[in-house]
Structure formats: structure tokens, C-alpha cells
Amino acid sequence: MKNKILILIFSIPLTAIAQSTISFTFDDGSMSNRANYEFKEWNNMILNALDSAEIKAVFFVKTDDKATNKGRYLIETWNNEGHLIANHTYSHPNFNKEEIKATDFRIELLRADSLISSYSNYVKLFRFPYLKEGDTNTEIDSIRQIMKSYGYQNGHVTIDGSDWYIDSRLRKRLKQNPKAKIEAFKDFYLEHIFERANYYENLSYELTGRHISHTLLLHHNLAAALFLDDLIEMFKSKGWNVISADEAFKDPIFQQTPNHAGESLIWALAKDSGKYEDELRYPAEDSRYEKERMDELGL
């Protein structure tokens, strides 16, 4: 199972996909109670939404607090439901910070690997915290070589967004008023993610001339627990094909290694092309882009 994805990816031919296609991946792994919801309750809400849709995700786990009984419970619930368990470092550092080096990356990679490698659905996919892959070409190359030496593949995001920021404001509202109505938060969450999905879908189609199998980055949080079932249904109602993440990672797009490391894979490939300098923003996604509108909406 450890090399399952790597084997499949390189054996899949380039075939045309007839419609926009999306899969779901989750980062981090919180174990805190959120608003009126106990940790086990809201975690199970995410798993139930995925189960109802009959899709499997990849769970990129930050492991610094996962050697506890609660941490093992979290990973086991995802693993036992058939979701892939992947590496998101031990302490979630930003590899674009000057003081963090490739030697630190090796430690983070292996320390997290030692905790997750015993799970039956463990795969050697690695996702960079903040989607930051190093601040110099030398460091980026060193990190990529370390990943290669340990058989790891980049667990690229193709659709990025600011779901974490929406979640932070949602939790703040519920902390202020546990009975607050949250329908407007749901509407904004769905609107934001679908707008970002369309942006990266259109950009990827321009770059490749085809529909790729997208990997959407979501965070393991209360917003996902409350709104994931609506999110999945929205994509289906808009004509998107919703697939499991292991299937999405078979797409040949994930074999590409862009020169511009970091952000989403589609952002990086567009940056490489040199054709989108007036369009690409940096950082690609951030709270600063959503704050004004959420303020105006009273969220």
C-alpha cells in the first residue's frame, strides 16, 4: 500500500475527461472542540458527508500532537473509513522562511512519516504547509531530492482557497453567540470555493487543453463539518464529476514538476508559462482577498 499511488500514476495514459472533475483533500487534523460541537462529533460529520457521497479523500496529517490517544483516534477514524493517510510534516513550518533549511525538511518529513507509516492506508504523498516549498532554488532542489530519496511524491493542490479564514470567522461568531444563524456563512463558503474552483479549472484548461482531475484543498475544521455535504452536492448540481482523491492523483498532471515551486500546481505551471504575469497574484490565496467582502456581509 505504501507505494500504491506512485505505481498507479505512472501507469495511467493521458485520456480525455469530458467534464470538470474534482476530488477532496484535507489538511492538518484538529482535535479541539469547536463552538457547540465536540471534536468527535464534528470529525464524524466530515466522514459521514464523504461516506454519503461514496468518495474517499486524502488526509494530510500534521503529526505533532497525534501520538496521543485522541490523535490516534483521529487518524484511525479516517484510515478505517478507507481514506488515504499522508504526510503534512510534524510541526507545520513555513519552508519559505529563511531560517528553515532543507535539513529541517528532512527531520519534519521523517518524524511525521514515523507516526503515520503504520496505518494500512498510508501513502507516500507529502503536502507542504502553506504550500510553500522553499525560498531559494538551491533549497527547493535540495528538498525535492530529499523527497525523491525517500520515495515521496508532492501531494499537489490544484484548487486552493481560503476556507480556513471563513472557518475562523465562523467560529468567532459562534463563540460570541452559540445560537447565531450561519446560513450566510454557508452561502459564502460555497460561493468562494466554487469561484476558486472555476478559476483554477479555466486556467488549467488553458494550460493543458483538457479537463484535469482536480484536488481541492480543504482543512479539517468546523466549516467542513457543517458545509461539506452541501459543497459536494453543489459541485454535482453544477455538472462537475466528483471522484475519490486516489483516482484524481492518477492524472498525468501530477507528474509535472514546475520550476516555480509553491502555491497550487496550476498556479506554478501558469507562472512557468510566462503568459499570466498580469493575472497571477501572490500569495495566490489569502485572507486579505476575502476580508472586505465578509466585512460587508457582516460575517
Side-chain angles (χ1 to χ4, degrees):
M1 185 63 184
K2 292 183 179 181
N3 294 319
K4 175 183 175 184
I5 284 185
L6 293 175
I7 293 170
L8 289 172
I9 286 174
F10 292 102
S11 64
I12 297 296
L14 180 61
T15 55
I17 300 174
Q19 65 189 114
S20 300
T21 299
I22 193 167
S23 68
F24 296 83
T25 68
F26 294 81
D27 283 10
D28 300 340
S30 171
M31 298 180 297
S32 300
N33 298 334
R34 300 297 192 189
N36 297 324
Y37 298 88
E38 297 289 327
F39 151 63
K40 290 184 178 181
E41 179 184 9
W42 69 258
N43 176 64
N44 284 334
M45 289 166 67
I46 298 176
L47 293 173
N48 289 340
L50 293 169
D51 182 61
S52 294
E54 298 183 335
I55 55 175
K56 303 302 181 184
V58 179
F59 188 21
F60 290 91
V61 183
K62 176 178 74 72
T63 67
D64 67 344
D65 52 358
K66 303 305 185 300
T68 62
N69 288 337
K70 186 181 280 190
R72 285 188 288 272
Y73 168 85
L74 171 63
I75 301 176
E76 286 171 2
T77 59
W78 284 73
N79 183 78
N80 293 346
E81 288 294 321
H83 304 292
L84 300 181
I85 307 301
N87 196 320
H88 195 44
T89 73
Y90 174 77
S91 65
H92 206 270
N94 184 335
F95 291 106
N96 276 19
K97 289 187 175 181
E98 185 177 354
E99 66 270 20
I100 299 178
K101 305 301 182 185
T103 52
D104 300 306
F105 173 83
R106 185 192 301 273
I107 294 169
E108 289 282 342
L109 178 79
L110 295 181
R111 194 171 184 184
D113 185 89
S114 68
L115 191 141
I116 64 174
S117 59
S118 62
Y119 290 92
S120 60
N121 286 324
Y122 155 78
V123 288
K124 286 194 171 183
L125 283 174
F126 177 84
R127 177 163 292 166
F128 286 88
Y130 313 104
L131 304 184
K132 301 297 185 277
E133 301 184 23
D135 64 335
T136 67
N137 289 334
T138 299
E139 184 172 305
I140 290 166
D141 289 343
S142 296
I143 287 173
R144 286 176 172 176
Q145 185 56 45
I146 291 168
M147 289 177 65
K148 183 178 179 180
S149 69
Y150 289 104
Y152 263 91
Q153 176 189 331
N154 194 320
H156 280 297
V157 174
T158 64
I159 299 172
D160 190 14
S162 296
D163 70 305
W164 59 271
Y165 179 62
I166 300 169
D167 176 77
S168 69
R169 293 182 63 137
L170 169 66
R171 287 188 288 110
K172 181 179 179 181
R173 176 64 55 81
L174 289 173
K175 184 177 181 180
Q176 294 169 341
N177 177 12
K179 296 183 179 180
K181 294 182 179 180
I182 60 171
E183 189 73 16
F185 281 95
K186 181 182 78 172
D187 292 343
F188 187 86
Y189 182 87
L190 300 180
E191 176 190 285
H192 167 71
I193 293 176
F194 191 64
E195 189 275 330
R196 291 290 84 200
N198 276 320
Y199 171 77
Y200 288 108
E201 162 69 345
N202 292 334
L203 185 56
S204 65
Y205 197 93
E206 290 180 15
L207 289 166
T208 66
R210 67 185 180 92
H211 298 291
I212 69 166
S213 294
H214 284 284
T215 51
L216 170 65
L217 166 59
L218 294 175
H219 290 83
H220 179 253
N221 58 28
L222 182 61
L226 293 171
F227 308 142
L228 181 60
D229 51 354
D230 294 292
L231 185 66
I232 294 170
E233 183 55 37
M234 178 195 68
F235 275 106
K236 290 180 178 180
S237 71
K238 300 287 188 181
W240 285 59
N241 184 28
V242 178
I243 64 173
S244 292
D246 60 341
E247 172 111 7
F249 274 111
K250 297 173 188 177
D251 192 302
I253 193 77
F254 295 101
Q255 297 178 30
Q256 298 201 37
T257 303
N259 293 323
H260 288 83
E263 308 307 294
S264 80
L265 175 61
I266 302 307
W267 187 98
L269 292 173
K271 190 74 172 177
D272 280 359
S273 75
K275 298 178 181 179
Y276 299 91
E277 291 304 309
D278 294 335
E279 176 181 337
L280 296 176
R281 61 192 187 185
Y282 185 85
E285 306 297 333
D286 193 70
S287 59
R288 71 191 73 175
Y289 308 127
E290 315 310 326
K291 182 181 184 305
E292 183 177 354
R293 179 122 191 280
M294 292 193 78
D295 288 345
E296 291 174 352
L297 292 172
L299 300 177

